[in-house]
Amino acid sequence: DLVGGSHVTIANESAFDFEANQAFSISVWFKTTAATGYLVAKQTDNNLTGYNVLLFNGQLRVELVNNNSGIKVDTTTAGGYS
């Protein structure tokens, strides 16, 4: 329940860990007026390995990162998530 809150924090839950060769899916419902911000994020602090779903300058972005290099997938138009 996010009434009055802005985010949910889940401890380092192993159910959200997977390897590069494993299938996965992420879904999120959101309503925001912000142009930039994380919607879903799981990254290690030491080597930036993980995944993110975020808004960046009004565009939906998905990042799959391993050791601070990786794949970024952007929408092609601002507001593409509406």
Side-chain angles (χ1 to χ4, degrees):
D1 189 358
L2 291 177
V3 175
S6 62
H7 68 278
V8 173
T9 300
I10 299 173
N12 190 13
E13 174 59 49
S14 63
F16 297 107
D17 295 341
F18 52 86
E19 297 298 325
N21 63 348
Q22 293 177 295
F24 70 95
S25 64
I26 297 171
S27 64
V28 59
W29 288 73
F30 67 95
K31 179 179 179 180
T32 185
T33 57
T36 300
Y38 286 89
L39 303 172
V40 176
K42 178 160 174 66
Q43 272 187 264
T44 59
D45 290 332
N46 56 351
N47 65 2
L48 298 177
T49 298
Y51 51 89
N52 304 301
V53 179
L54 62 139
L55 296 174
F56 183 74
N57 292 331
Q59 295 182 313
L60 188 62
R61 173 180 280 182
V62 176
E63 299 174 336
L64 304 173
V65 184
N66 186 5
N67 295 320
N68 207 22
S69 64
I71 300 168
K72 293 180 181 167
V73 179
D74 292 326
T75 57
T76 56
T77 58
Y81 54 87
S82 60

